Structure formats: C-alpha cells, structure tokens
Amino acid sequence: MAFDGIMMTMVRREMTDALAGSRVNQIYQPARDELVFAFRTSEGTKKVLIRLSDSPRVHISSCSIENPPVPPMLCMLLRKRLGGARLGEITQPQNERVLCLHFEALNEIGDRENLRLYIEIMGRYSNAVLTDGEDRVIDTVRRIDFSVSEERVLLPKMPYELPRMQDKLCIEESEPAEIVSRIEDLGGDDRAVLNTIQGISPMIAREICYRAESTDMPTQIAALKAAVEEGRGEPTLIYKADGSPMDFAFMDIRQYEGALTVKHFDTYGGLLDAFYSERDRIARMKAKSADIGKVVGNGIDRLSRKINLQKADLKKCADREQLRIKGDLLQANLYRIERGATSVTVENFYAEDNALITIQLDPTITPAMNAQRCYKEYNKAKTREVMLTEQIKKATEELAYLESVQEMLSRCETEAELSAIREELREQGYLKAQKGSVKRKDKPLPPIEYTSSDGFRILVGRNNKQNDQLTLHTANKNDMWLHTKGIHGSHVIIVSDGREITEIAIREAAQIAAAHSKGKDSAQVPVDYTRVKNVSKPNGALPGKVIYVNYNTVYVKPDKK
C-alpha cells in the first residue's frame, strides 16, 4: 500500500496541527506490534495509532480498539516515562518514513527530561524506539542485537542511529531541474521517477508520468514540489469495482480514467481509518480465533467423514430383506438340499412368476443352520439400520451446530464475542479449560440492537447461547422471530411492545437476519418469520437449535443499514 514518505509528511503535518502542545493522557498496547497514544488537547482527546506489522503506519485515528486486560511490560514502561508528558515538535528526516515525537516529561524525582519516540515505518523492519535526551535507547518494540544486524543495533543504553537513507532526491530540498535531469538520465519512465524522488510509491510514480503525458515532466515535478512544501495534499481512497478499498494516496489519482472509483477525505487520519479499520478487525479476530477455528474446522471435517461412512453402511442395510427371503426359501426347501452343498437353486415364491434363485451355502454347516444364518444376518442388518439412522441424525445435528459456530466466528467483531463463543465450546466439551486458569465472570454481552424505520426494536443474537436466551427467555410470545431458511445465522427478534408489527419492520428485520448469516454475500436470501410462541426447543438439543411452525418466508437482499 502507498504509505510512502510523502504520505508520512502529510500525516506529520496533520499530527502537528492537531497535537502540538498536548499531553499524553494514556498509552495502550493492544498487540505486540501496536501502540495507541491518547493525547489530551484543547479540542478533547485524540488518539494516535502506531502499527508496526501487517500494513505498518502511524496516524490520528478515531477507531475503537480493544485492549488486553493486563498491559505488556513495554506499555507499562511507556506509561511510566511518558505519562503526562508534553508533546513538542514532530520531525521527519527528508521525507523518509521515520517520525520523531519530541516529549518533555518529568522523571521519578520530578526533574524535567527530554525524551524522543522514533517511529520507523519500513515494512517488516518497522519499529518504535524510545530514547533519552542523549538519544540513547531506553527500550524498543523490537530489539535488534548483533546476531540480527552488525550495522544497526537497537538495545537499551545503546546510541540510537537513524536507518540508512536511500540515495534519492528530497522533493523539498532539490530543485525541479535537478530532479527532472536525473529522471531523464534514468530513462524518463515511472521506474526512473520512483528511483529519483524520495518518499513516493510506485502508484505515485505512475501518476506523475500519466499527468506528464498531457503537459510535461518539469511542470508535474514543480507542481508536486509546491504541493508538498505547502501541504496541499488531497487524501484519496481508490475503490475496486466490487466496492472494496484498493489503495490510497496523498494526491488525487487520475490514471485509472473512471475504471475505478475515487473518493476524497478531509483528513489523512479519516482516510487511513476508512482503508484499514475493517481489514484490521478481520485480521485481528482471525488471529485471536485461530485456536477455536482449528478445533471447529477439525470437528467439521471429522463429522463429515463419519457421516459419509455411516451413510455408506446404511445403504448396505437396505438389502436386508433379501436375507430374510433367502432364509424363508432355505427353510421351505430343506428336504431338497444335500448336506455339504455349496449352493442351491429353488423357486422364489415371493416373486410373481416364481423365478428361480440361486442361494450360496456354507458347506461346513447343515442346511438348517444356513437358513438360521440368513435370519441372523437379517436381524443384525435391521438393528444396524436403526442404530445408524440415529447416529447419522445426531452427527448431522452436531455438524450443523459446529457449522453455525464457524459462521458466528466469521462475524465476531470484538474479543468479548470471541470469549463468549470460547466459553460455549468449553461447556459443550469441544475445548478444555486451561489448568490453573481462573475462570473470569465476564459481563454478559447484550444482543446487537437495531431500530426499524418505523420504530420497532430489532434484536440479534451474537452466538448460539445468546440465540437461545433471546428466543426462549427474553422475547415475548407475541414478538416476531426470524431466521434464514436452511442457512446458518443468528436468531432475530422484532420487539412488538404491544403494537402490531408492520410489513416494513418484518422486511427490514429479514434483511438484518440475512446480513447476520452465512448468506450475507448472496443477492437473495430466504428468511422465515413467525411469532415467538410458535418456536420451541427440542429436549437435549444443542445450543441455537429450535423448531418452529406456522411460518411465512420472505426473500430479501442482506443489508445491515
């Protein structure tokens, strides 16, 4: 993505305007490679997100990020050294992707000290380093010793050194003629632009060349230099044809000529929040739910194989009547069968034309024992059919339950929702409680709540246990219950509050039910709806499993809005 040096320059100016002179109110560390600084400003609290892995970046953010219950050691150190510190200037060397936040803080004995936080956004080598007034490392997110790099070591008490600078020209410190001359010497194409100008991404290099086709390269370089010096960037987000964000830039992007959608933002923080928030949430929840996902996925695979094998065995039991018929025919023809015979051909009086049938025999036993063996195998097949039918039913219900858990996992938005699913799986025996762990009593999560356009409350279950609670205990018998037809999803309740539920509320609740289901990406999803009084739970059923009668079905397009 295009978080290049000039993008960081624009972000630095935005942060300077919003945060200069503010004080550190709180520091969080949601993940090992992620820091959040909350600054107290005259306009309220503003947060700065520092992300050092999986799309590294730094910017003012308004996104809400969950924090661990116990802060990591680095977070506690930062709170100790920078808590209440005043932010002075924010500097950046020559459009490089390195920001330096200068702080004035008080030490343990109340003396003022100058501290610096260097934020290096350099792909997988990104880092954040806290230094003292003499630029000696206090601590760092990623420590680098001599075994990793002999050139640049980042360890406590070692002097801090900036990363090696690239051999490119800074747009603010170089003349346009000098920049154009080097571009022409390197070939004059977008690769030459990329290798000449410090702090631009390949997309920006292509954009400069695209615009130069209608004017000339000197004009475009001069315009870029003026925009960077004056801070006249234009936060731009590029969307794919399917509506998902593709890339972003500090300037307007014209090279796609209407093939892709371009949207402009007022701030760079808003731009980066819009681009990364949903993707980061999905990635974070995917990482935190990996253990649960593996258990559920393995369970689904195991049950699928088991059901297929049981169905194959059940199919064999379908021929059991032939065993009974053979037993009857042998019993009726005992006088015709010689002892030691390997087979016998008799008339099948069960067939309309009394067609002949050949029955294989065991020559080591008597004809009567051969007949009894057929009856015995018939009874075994009959018993096995009953047992297999019951086992397939139970395995199918368990498979449906695990598939519903898998679908719920894909829609988890918070760690609290994930914890609720984790606890549900422990109760059902799929997960084991960790030895020595103290079970925390988390506050129960409320159902997700919407309001229809005509004022009805719509409640949505977050997991199977909450689905049961919502449908069987919370809802009134005259409320409306909705669920996607034959598709795993959440239970949805329209709260009547003594009023007659409208068609508008039913359709909007059906769209919400479809959006909170496995069919959320489909164009048309069938949703069943009925009064809560028509919904019941079978004895011994797994969480989330209900049966319902007297229902109607509506086809809708999923839409949470």
Side-chain angles (χ1 to χ4, degrees):
M1 302 305 167
F3 197 91
D4 49 38
I6 297 182
M7 170 64 79
M8 181 171 272
T9 299
M10 300 300 184
V11 169
R12 171 179 59 81
R13 287 177 174 162
E14 185 171 279
M15 289 173 58
T16 299
D17 293 341
L19 304 175
S22 63
R23 292 190 178 275
V24 177
N25 189 43
Q26 188 54 280
I27 302 172
Y28 307 99
Q29 191 175 2
R32 179 181 179 276
D33 296 330
E34 191 171 58
L35 296 170
V36 177
F37 279 70
F39 290 92
R40 187 170 60 252
T41 73
S42 58
E43 298 179 356
T45 301
K46 294 185 182 294
K47 292 183 295 184
V48 171
L49 170 65
I50 303 170
R51 187 73 179 271
L52 304 174
S53 65
D54 186 25
S55 303
R57 62 195 184 275
V58 54
H59 60 93
I60 296 174
S61 175
S62 59
C63 291
S64 178
I65 301 174
E66 279 194 300
N67 299 296
V70 179
M73 291 298 294
L74 177 63
C75 181
M76 295 174 68
L77 171 68
L78 292 173
R79 289 178 180 179
K80 177 182 177 181
R81 301 299 295 264
L82 294 177
R86 178 181 175 277
L87 176 63
E89 62 178 340
I90 303 175
T91 58
Q92 176 190 12
Q94 296 187 344
N95 297 138
E96 287 284 350
R97 288 184 295 173
V98 179
L99 281 191
C100 180
L101 278 60
H102 299 255
F103 292 97
E104 185 180 281
L106 296 178
N107 60 21
E108 295 177 343
I109 60 175
D111 293 336
R112 294 186 182 277
E113 63 175 348
N114 294 320
L115 302 176
R116 300 183 183 94
L117 181 67
Y118 289 92
I119 305 165
E120 304 170 358
I121 305 299
M122 301 182 298
R124 61 193 181 99
Y125 300 107
S126 298
N127 208 344
V129 185
L130 180 67
T131 68
D132 59 20
E134 297 179 354
D135 254 359
R136 290 189 175 274
V137 176
I138 297 174
D139 209 344
T140 175
V141 171
R142 295 172 177 169
R143 294 186 177 185
I144 301 175
D145 57 23
F146 291 99
S147 65
V148 178
S149 172
E150 295 181 359
E151 186 176 311
R152 185 168 181 258
V153 177
L154 292 176
L155 292 173
K157 298 185 178 180
M158 295 289 288
Y160 173 80
E161 295 180 3
L162 285 169
R164 182 192 296 176
M165 302 297 178
Q166 295 179 306
D167 183 23
K168 297 182 181 180
L169 299 179
C170 176
I171 191 75
E172 294 179 90
E173 299 180 3
S174 303
E175 293 299 323
E178 180 186 2
I179 297 173
V180 171
S181 176
R182 180 182 288 195
I183 291 173
E184 292 175 349
D185 291 342
L186 294 176
D189 57 5
D190 59 303
R191 185 177 293 275
V193 175
L194 181 65
N195 291 331
T196 298
I197 303 175
Q198 175 63 41
I200 65 171
S201 66
M203 182 179 66
I204 299 300
R206 293 195 304 271
E207 182 67 21
I208 293 171
C209 291
Y210 173 79
R211 295 188 182 191
E213 291 177 0
S214 58
T215 55
D216 54 60
M217 186 62 73
T219 300
Q220 294 305 318
I221 297 301
L224 177 63
K225 178 179 174 65
V228 174
E229 289 177 342
E230 298 169 15
R232 289 189 287 103
E234 194 167 5
T236 301
L237 182 55
I238 303 103
Y239 291 90
K240 298 178 183 177
D242 62 1
S244 60
M246 184 189 81
D247 213 332
F248 57 86
F250 62 84
M251 61 188 293
D252 186 29
I253 301 299
R254 306 171 188 170
Q255 59 188 281
Y256 299 111
E257 295 185 342
L260 300 177
T261 304
V262 173
K263 180 181 178 181
H264 300 118
F265 286 75
D266 294 331
T267 65
Y268 290 95
L271 165 69
L272 296 168
D273 275 347
F275 184 82
Y276 285 113
S277 57
E278 181 65 12
R279 197 183 71 165
D280 284 354
R281 182 193 66 79
I282 293 172
R284 186 182 294 110
M285 294 310 301
K286 185 176 181 180
K288 291 183 177 180
S289 65
D291 59 332
I292 304 178
K294 185 177 180 180
V295 169
V296 173
N298 289 342
I300 290 173
D301 291 341
R302 174 182 57 80
L303 287 169
S304 298
R305 291 194 300 270
K306 179 181 178 181
I307 291 170
N308 288 334
L309 292 173
Q310 289 175 334
K311 285 183 176 179
D313 286 347
L314 184 62
K315 192 174 181 180
K316 295 177 183 177
C317 296
D319 296 331
R320 71 181 185 280
E321 284 299 319
Q322 291 297 316
L323 294 170
R324 183 184 63 80
I325 291 171
K326 289 179 180 180
D328 289 349
L329 294 177
L330 290 175
Q331 194 70 31
N333 291 278
L334 288 176
Y335 68 95
R336 299 171 58 182
I337 305 172
E338 296 182 4
R339 183 163 186 154
T342 58
S343 66
V344 62
T345 301
V346 296
E347 295 85 2
N348 183 4
F349 48 75
Y350 285 101
E352 293 181 1
D353 54 355
N354 284 343
L356 295 177
I357 181 172
T358 299
I359 303 173
Q360 300 298 318
L361 302 174
D362 183 353
T364 62
I365 60 177
T366 65
M369 292 174 68
N370 271 289
Q372 292 303 314
R373 189 183 68 169
C374 288
Y375 289 134
K376 186 177 180 179
E377 290 180 357
Y378 165 76
N379 288 326
K380 284 173 63 178
K382 187 176 180 180
T383 302
R384 186 162 180 77
E385 183 181 48
V386 173
M387 292 178 62
L388 282 172
T389 301
E390 182 63 25
Q391 288 173 356
I392 290 173
K393 180 183 176 183
K394 289 182 178 179
T396 302
E397 289 178 353
E398 185 180 0
L399 177 62
Y401 169 71
L402 288 180
E403 287 177 341
S404 72
V405 173
Q406 189 178 58
E407 196 279 324
M408 297 284 184
L409 274 174
S410 70
R411 291 190 283 111
C412 276
E413 296 185 354
T414 66
E415 193 163 350
E417 290 178 332
L418 192 60
S419 296
I421 292 178
R422 195 185 299 274
E423 182 59 31
E424 177 185 328
L425 290 173
R426 284 199 187 101
E427 292 177 0
Q428 298 302 316
Y430 293 100
L431 291 177
K432 294 181 180 179
Q434 295 180 350
K435 293 183 179 180
S437 62
V438 179
K439 184 178 178 181
R440 296 188 310 167
K441 290 186 177 180
D442 295 326
K443 184 179 179 181
L445 281 171
I448 303 170
E449 185 169 336
Y450 297 86
T451 303
S452 70
S453 58
D454 52 358
F456 284 90
R457 291 172 63 218
I458 300 172
L459 305 179
V460 182
R462 296 175 186 266
N463 51 61
N464 286 305
K465 284 183 65 178
Q466 194 175 86
N467 283 339
D468 283 351
Q469 178 67 29
L470 185 61
T471 300
L472 305 174
H473 303 287
T474 303
N476 183 278
K477 65 179 182 178
N478 291 319
D479 293 343
M480 193 67 74
W481 179 89
L482 301 93
H483 194 280
T484 46
K485 187 181 187 69
I487 302 172
H488 297 300
S490 295
H491 293 198
V492 176
I493 298 293
I494 306 176
V495 181
S496 61
D497 282 335
R499 295 181 291 164
E500 186 62 31
I501 297 175
T502 64
E503 291 294 328
I504 294 175
I506 291 173
R507 176 161 288 276
E508 291 177 355
Q511 290 179 305
I512 291 170
H516 286 274
S517 77
K518 198 171 183 178
K520 58 184 176 294
D521 297 321
S522 303
Q524 290 290 311
V525 177
V527 179
D528 292 339
Y529 63 95
T530 185
R531 297 286 180 179
V532 171
K533 62 184 179 182
N534 297 323
V535 184
S536 60
K537 188 173 186 66
N539 291 332
L542 289 165
K545 173 69 174 178
V546 295
I547 55 176
Y548 53 97
V549 295
N550 301 330
Y551 62 90
N552 294 310
T553 305
V554 60
Y555 287 80
V556 295
K557 181 178 181 180
D559 186 4
K560 291 182 182 180
K561 295 179 182 179

